[in-house]
């Protein structure tokens, strides 16, 4: 049997509630599956191969396109609650009884909601470049970030501005990341549609708007959580990671230097080491 | 040759500028020495054997009593600047041309000052349970903390309140730490005197009082720094660790769950893993 990598594992489809979801899986056959939840406009092709393959060494990993994204059927909902329901439908359709979650950015909102909805299903959670419901300074985004998120086509180069710091070192790491993203040559996903853009932007803005007692629901997440971010995140400001770690009952916080929203893609090897220590612990 | 451990390595003495300093060394013979800088009232006997032995596996480690502390000669100065000069005197007297520093609490203030004074000497820095000059909320200490720091004799049990969280899990980890502290049976240090208490308290309070442009000097520390703390430090409030990481040009921040000032003693194995990744990186 050939060991699959993120670059080579075929895209498969699984059906639940009449929707056909695109997914990929790889990694060790035994152990708790780590389910990846991607960012705004992201598809199966937007994870860093160095992160996915690194984490797949020690556990099964599963990636999927949520409803309406790329080759998945259905419509992208305009709220995180429904995105979490789709994620749960995929997890159940794949027969997973317990999972770890890695949510990045919008995917981190979904990871929190999945954990609140089905605490019995979720063992451990990694939240990268994300924030709590009603967090600080991402509803609205800054004008510069907002302008990019509204572009009709998402360009890979946007990541250099949105995910990395303006320093030479961070920009060089960003270009290396973009190169790794292109390593898969076939069976790639189409870009996300304008419907995805609009629905996801609405979901992000609603999540970022305080409702009720601020941060109260974080207390309900009893699972061990690893919160990571760059020290200067311009999309979901870094203070949100600190707030998450202060309000979650059992959270470890790691902030990386000279980096932004996509710190896990700037330091993929160190992030894999830190995440592995956390998932094993 | 017997491999020395923190529990067995003999106390030695080194002289500089007419003062005789007590120190201990152990660990791998080659590599950059990691110099430990201890907390308020701490002596050579106050480090966690699990931390010291864990870090000594891959590098030489050096611990010492600063001027006036335990069996070291001289008077304890009432300011961090002079403590840093004594630390530099010991490092030079031991013939170390380049060092890594691990400063805990007051020792973290000294580590910052040593790095500012001799940037050429310092390769990497770990700052645990500490804060920047002019930081938040430790000058003065809270009344509860202040009352304990003023006791004539420092009791080991104080660490349960000062270094650990009030939860069952953290308190259990605290008791395990106290037990490890007692593992060395001979050649132990006498407790610190009242002169040490008063001078160190004055130094801490002066360090904690803002002077000039706040946090400006942190920008001068270009070395890679790892900042660690518990999520609820009641001595040097945790926000100071976040401030350090935001203002130092090259800092990684790790905050541990369910823990306080002494998080490195609550999670000694995980801390050693994180510190080793940082020191190797």
């Amino acid at each position: 049997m050939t060991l699959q990598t993120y670059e080579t594992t075929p895209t498969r489809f699984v059906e639940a509630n009449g929707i056909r979801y695109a997914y990929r899986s790889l990694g060790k056959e035994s152990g708790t599956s780590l389910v990846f939840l991607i960012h705004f406009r992201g598809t199966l092709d937007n994870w860093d191969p160095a992160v996915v393959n690194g984490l797949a060494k020690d556990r099964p990993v599963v990636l999927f396109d949520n409803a309406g994204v790329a080759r998945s059927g259905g419509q992208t909902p305009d709220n995180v609650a429904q995105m979490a329901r789709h994620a749960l439908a995929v997890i159940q359709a794949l027969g997973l009884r317990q999972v770890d979650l890695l949510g990045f950015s919008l995917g981190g909102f979904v990871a929190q909601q999945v954990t609140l909805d089905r605490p019995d299903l979720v063992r451990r959670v990694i939240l990268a470049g994300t924030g709590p419901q009603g967090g600080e300074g991402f509803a609205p985004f800054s004008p510069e970030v907002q302008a990019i998120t509204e572009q009709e086509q998402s360009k890979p180069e946007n990541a250099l501005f949105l995910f990395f710091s303006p320093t030479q070192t961070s920009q060089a790491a960003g270009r290396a990341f973009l190169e790794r993203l292109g390593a898969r040559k076939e069976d790639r996903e189409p870009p996300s549609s304008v419907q995805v853009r609009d629905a996801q932007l609405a979901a992000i803005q609603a999540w970022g708007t305080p409702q009720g007692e601020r941060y109260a629901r974080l207390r309900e997440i009893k699972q061990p959580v690893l919160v990571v971010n760059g020290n200067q995140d311009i999309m979901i400001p870094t203070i949100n990671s600190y707030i998450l770690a202060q309000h979650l009952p059992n959270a470890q916080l790691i902030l990386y230097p000279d980096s932004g929203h996509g710190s896990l893609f700037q330091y993929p090897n160190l992030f894999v080491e830190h995440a592995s220590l956390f998932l094993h612990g």
Side-chain angles (χ1 to χ4, degrees), chain A:
Chain A
M1 197 184 117
T2 318
L3 191 68
Q4 295 288 2
T5 65
Y6 178 50
E7 295 90 323
T8 60
T9 191
T11 307
R12 293 197 164 87
F13 294 88
V14 63
E15 200 169 309
N17 306 326
I19 295 177
R20 201 166 161 263
Y21 299 91
Y23 78 98
R24 296 180 193 149
S25 59
L26 65 151
K28 213 173 144 183
E29 296 213 355
S30 64
T32 304
S33 290
L34 177 63
V35 178
F36 285 60
L37 298 158
I38 192 74
H39 59 77
F40 172 62
R41 283 188 152 179
T43 73
L44 282 172
D45 290 327
N46 285 98
W47 291 105
D48 186 341
V51 167
V52 177
N53 292 327
L55 289 169
K57 271 189 198 138
D58 280 334
R59 60 193 57 78
V61 311
V62 174
L63 316 97
F64 71 98
D65 285 329
N66 211 321
V69 173
R71 280 188 279 176
S72 281
Q75 284 261 313
T76 297
D78 67 357
N79 61 84
V80 170
Q82 279 184 283
M83 290 176 185
R85 258 169 259 151
H86 286 291
L88 281 166
V90 172
I91 290 166
Q92 284 165 344
L94 293 173
L96 304 173
R97 301 282 183 90
Q98 189 162 54
V99 294
D100 294 332
L101 301 174
L102 191 176
F104 172 45
S105 193
L106 170 60
F109 307 161
V110 178
Q112 292 172 65
Q113 191 62 54
V114 166
T115 308
L116 287 166
D117 292 347
R118 286 290 312 279
D120 57 304
L121 181 73
V122 180
R123 194 186 70 110
R124 285 172 185 250
V125 185
I126 301 174
L127 299 176
T130 194
Q133 202 287 314
E136 289 282 350
F138 57 96
F141 283 132
S142 73
E144 295 78 12
V145 170
Q146 184 67 22
I148 292 178
T149 59
E150 287 174 354
Q151 290 174 3
E152 220 161 283
Q153 294 284 344
S154 174
K155 292 190 277 282
E157 300 75 46
N158 289 343
L160 293 177
F161 176 73
L162 294 174
F163 289 6
F164 294 84
S165 279
T167 62
Q168 263 194 335
T169 42
S170 187
Q171 289 294 303
R175 288 188 296 273
F177 162 67
L178 290 181
E179 195 150 320
R180 291 196 299 276
L181 278 192
R184 185 185 181 95
K185 299 299 179 195
E186 289 171 22
D187 183 30
R188 291 181 69 96
E189 293 297 277
S192 294
S193 67
V194 167
Q195 192 266 323
V196 171
R197 176 195 71 183
D198 294 342
Q200 290 187 340
L201 275 181
I204 292 167
Q205 295 306 304
W207 181 267
T209 304
Q211 289 170 348
E213 192 198 334
R214 220 170 176 189
Y215 312 136
R217 296 215 69 190
L218 294 177
R219 288 198 294 269
E220 298 172 38
I221 298 180
K222 312 291 192 196
Q223 284 82 350
V225 180
L226 171 63
V227 180
V228 309
N229 206 349
N231 67 330
Q232 298 291 346
D233 184 340
I234 61 166
M235 297 198 77
I236 314 284
T238 304
I239 192 67
N240 289 287
S241 294
Y242 185 78
I243 293 168
L244 280 170
Q246 285 287 304
H247 290 267
L248 289 163
N250 187 357
Q252 183 186 131
L253 173 67
I254 302 185
L255 299 180
Y256 296 101
D258 182 35
S259 56
H261 194 57
S263 67
L264 72 170
F265 306 146
Q266 178 161 345
Y267 302 102
N269 300 329
L270 184 57
F271 170 72
V272 167
E273 297 262 20
H274 286 153
S276 300
L277 280 169
F278 167 75
L279 292 171
H280 287 180

Coordinates of all heavy atoms in Angstrom, one line a residue, chain A residues 93-124:
Chain A
A93 N -21.1 11.1 8.9 CA -21.2 10.3 7.7 C -19.9 9.5 7.5 O -20.0 8.4 6.9 CB -21.5 11.2 6.5
L94 N -18.8 10.0 8.0 CA -17.5 9.3 7.8 C -17.4 8.2 9.0 O -16.4 7.5 9.0 CB -16.4 10.2 7.9 CG -16.3 11.2 6.6 CD1 -15.2 12.2 6.8 CD2 -16.0 10.3 5.4
G95 N -18.4 8.2 9.9 CA -18.3 7.2 10.9 C -17.4 7.4 12.0 O -17.0 6.5 12.8
L96 N -17.0 8.7 12.2 CA -16.0 9.0 13.3 C -16.8 9.2 14.6 O -17.7 10.0 14.7 CB -15.3 10.3 12.9 CG -14.5 10.2 11.6 CD1 -13.9 11.6 11.2 CD2 -13.4 9.2 11.6
R97 N -16.4 8.5 15.6 CA -17.1 8.5 16.9 C -16.4 9.6 17.9 O -17.1 10.1 18.8 CB -17.0 7.2 17.6 CG -17.6 6.0 16.9 CD -19.1 6.1 17.0 NE -19.7 4.9 16.3 CZ -19.9 3.7 16.9 NH1 -19.6 3.5 18.1 NH2 -20.5 2.8 16.2
Q98 N -15.1 9.9 17.7 CA -14.5 10.9 18.4 C -13.4 11.6 17.6 O -12.8 10.9 16.8 CB -13.8 10.3 19.7 CG -13.3 11.4 20.6 CD -13.1 11.0 22.0 OE1 -12.3 10.0 22.2 NE2 -13.6 11.6 23.0
V99 N -13.3 12.9 17.6 CA -12.4 13.6 16.8 C -11.6 14.6 17.6 O -12.1 15.1 18.6 CB -13.1 14.3 15.6 CG1 -13.7 13.3 14.7 CG2 -14.2 15.3 16.1
D100 N -10.4 15.0 17.0 CA -9.8 16.3 17.4 C -10.1 17.2 16.3 O -10.3 16.8 15.1 CB -8.3 16.0 17.5 CG -7.9 15.1 18.7 OD1 -8.7 15.1 19.7 OD2 -6.9 14.5 18.6
L101 N -10.1 18.5 16.6 CA -10.4 19.5 15.6 C -9.2 20.5 15.5 O -8.6 20.9 16.5 CB -11.6 20.3 16.0 CG -12.9 19.6 16.1 CD1 -14.0 20.5 16.7 CD2 -13.4 18.9 14.8
L102 N -8.9 20.9 14.2 CA -8.0 22.0 14.0 C -8.7 23.0 13.2 O -9.0 22.8 12.0 CB -6.7 21.5 13.3 CG -5.5 22.4 13.2 CD1 -4.3 21.8 12.5 CD2 -5.8 23.8 12.5
G103 N -9.1 24.1 13.8 CA -9.8 25.2 13.1 C -9.0 26.4 12.9 O -8.4 26.9 13.8
F104 N -8.9 26.9 11.6 CA -8.1 28.1 11.3 C -9.0 29.2 10.9 O -9.8 29.0 10.0 CB -7.1 27.7 10.3 CG -6.3 28.9 9.7 CD1 -5.8 29.9 10.6 CD2 -6.1 29.1 8.4 CE1 -5.1 31.0 10.1 CE2 -5.4 30.2 7.9 CZ -4.9 31.2 8.7
S105 N -9.0 30.3 11.6 CA -9.7 31.5 11.3 C -11.2 31.3 11.3 O -11.7 30.8 12.4 CB -9.3 32.0 9.9 OG -9.7 33.3 9.6
L106 N -12.0 31.4 10.2 CA -13.4 31.1 10.2 C -13.6 29.6 10.7 O -14.5 29.3 11.4 CB -14.0 31.3 8.8 CG -15.4 30.7 8.5 CD1 -16.4 31.3 9.5 CD2 -15.7 30.9 7.1
G107 N -12.6 28.7 10.3 CA -12.7 27.3 10.7 C -12.6 27.2 12.2 O -13.1 26.2 12.8
G108 N -11.9 28.2 12.9 CA -11.8 28.2 14.3 C -13.1 28.5 15.0 O -13.4 28.0 16.1
F109 N -13.9 29.4 14.3 CA -15.3 29.7 14.8 C -16.1 28.4 14.8 O -16.8 28.0 15.7 CB -16.0 30.7 14.0 CG -15.3 32.0 13.8 CD1 -15.6 32.9 12.8 CD2 -14.2 32.4 14.6 CE1 -15.0 34.1 12.5 CE2 -13.6 33.7 14.4 CZ -14.0 34.5 13.4
V110 N -16.0 27.7 13.6 CA -16.8 26.5 13.4 C -16.3 25.4 14.4 O -17.2 24.7 15.0 CB -16.6 26.0 12.0 CG1 -17.4 24.7 11.8 CG2 -17.1 27.0 11.0
A111 N -15.0 25.3 14.7 CA -14.5 24.3 15.7 C -15.1 24.6 17.1 O -15.5 23.7 17.8 CB -13.0 24.4 15.7
Q112 N -15.2 25.9 17.5 CA -15.8 26.2 18.8 C -17.3 25.8 18.8 O -17.7 25.2 19.8 CB -15.7 27.7 19.1 CG -14.2 28.2 19.3 CD -14.1 29.7 19.3 OE1 -14.7 30.3 20.3 NE2 -13.5 30.3 18.4
Q113 N -18.0 26.1 17.7 CA -19.4 25.8 17.7 C -19.7 24.3 17.7 O -20.6 23.8 18.4 CB -20.1 26.4 16.4 CG -21.6 26.4 16.5 CD -22.1 27.2 17.7 OE1 -21.8 28.4 17.9 NE2 -22.9 26.5 18.5
V114 N -18.9 23.5 16.9 CA -19.0 22.0 16.9 C -18.8 21.5 18.3 O -19.5 20.6 18.8 CB -18.0 21.4 15.9 CG1 -17.8 19.9 16.1 CG2 -18.4 21.7 14.5
T115 N -17.8 22.0 19.0 CA -17.5 21.6 20.4 C -18.6 21.9 21.3 O -18.9 21.1 22.2 CB -16.1 22.2 20.8 OG1 -15.1 22.0 19.8 CG2 -15.7 21.6 22.1
L116 N -19.2 23.1 21.2 CA -20.3 23.4 22.0 C -21.5 22.5 21.8 O -22.2 22.1 22.7 CB -20.7 24.9 21.8 CG -19.7 25.9 22.4 CD1 -20.0 27.3 21.8 CD2 -19.8 26.0 23.9
D117 N -21.7 22.2 20.5 CA -22.9 21.4 20.1 C -22.8 19.9 20.5 O -23.7 19.3 20.8 CB -23.1 21.5 18.6 CG -23.6 22.9 18.2 OD1 -23.9 23.7 19.0 OD2 -23.5 23.2 16.9
R118 N -21.6 19.4 20.3 CA -21.3 18.0 20.5 C -20.1 17.7 21.4 O -19.1 17.1 20.9 CB -21.2 17.3 19.2 CG -22.5 17.1 18.4 CD -23.5 16.1 19.1 NE -22.8 14.8 19.4 CZ -22.6 13.8 18.5 NH1 -23.0 14.0 17.3 NH2 -22.0 12.7 18.9
P119 N -20.1 18.1 22.7 CA -19.0 18.0 23.5 C -18.5 16.5 23.7 O -17.3 16.3 23.9 CB -19.4 18.6 24.9 CG -20.9 18.7 24.8 CD -21.2 18.8 23.4
D120 N -19.4 15.6 23.5 CA -19.1 14.2 23.6 C -18.3 13.7 22.5 O -17.6 12.7 22.6 CB -20.4 13.4 23.7 CG -21.2 13.6 22.4 OD1 -21.6 14.8 22.2 OD2 -21.6 12.7 21.7
L121 N -18.3 14.4 21.3 CA -17.7 13.9 20.1 C -16.2 14.4 20.0 O -15.4 13.8 19.4 CB -18.4 14.5 18.9 CG -18.0 14.2 17.5 CD1 -18.3 12.7 17.2 CD2 -18.6 15.1 16.5
V122 N -15.9 15.5 20.7 CA -14.7 16.2 20.5 C -13.7 16.0 21.7 O -14.1 16.2 22.8 CB -14.9 17.8 20.3 CG1 -13.6 18.5 20.1 CG2 -15.9 18.0 19.2
R123 N -12.5 15.5 21.4 CA -11.5 15.2 22.4 C -10.6 16.4 22.7 O -10.5 16.8 23.8 CB -10.7 14.0 21.9 CG -9.8 13.3 23.0 CD -8.9 12.3 22.3 NE -7.9 12.9 21.5 CZ -6.6 12.9 21.9 NH1 -6.2 12.3 23.0 NH2 -5.7 13.6 21.1
R124 N -10.0 17.0 21.7 CA -9.1 18.1 21.8 C -9.3 19.1 20.6 O -9.7 18.6 19.6 CB -7.6 17.7 21.9 CG -7.3 17.1 23.2 CD -5.9 16.4 23.3 NE -5.8 15.8 24.6 CZ -5.0 16.2 25.6 NH1 -4.2 17.2 25.4 NH2 -5.0 15.6 26.7

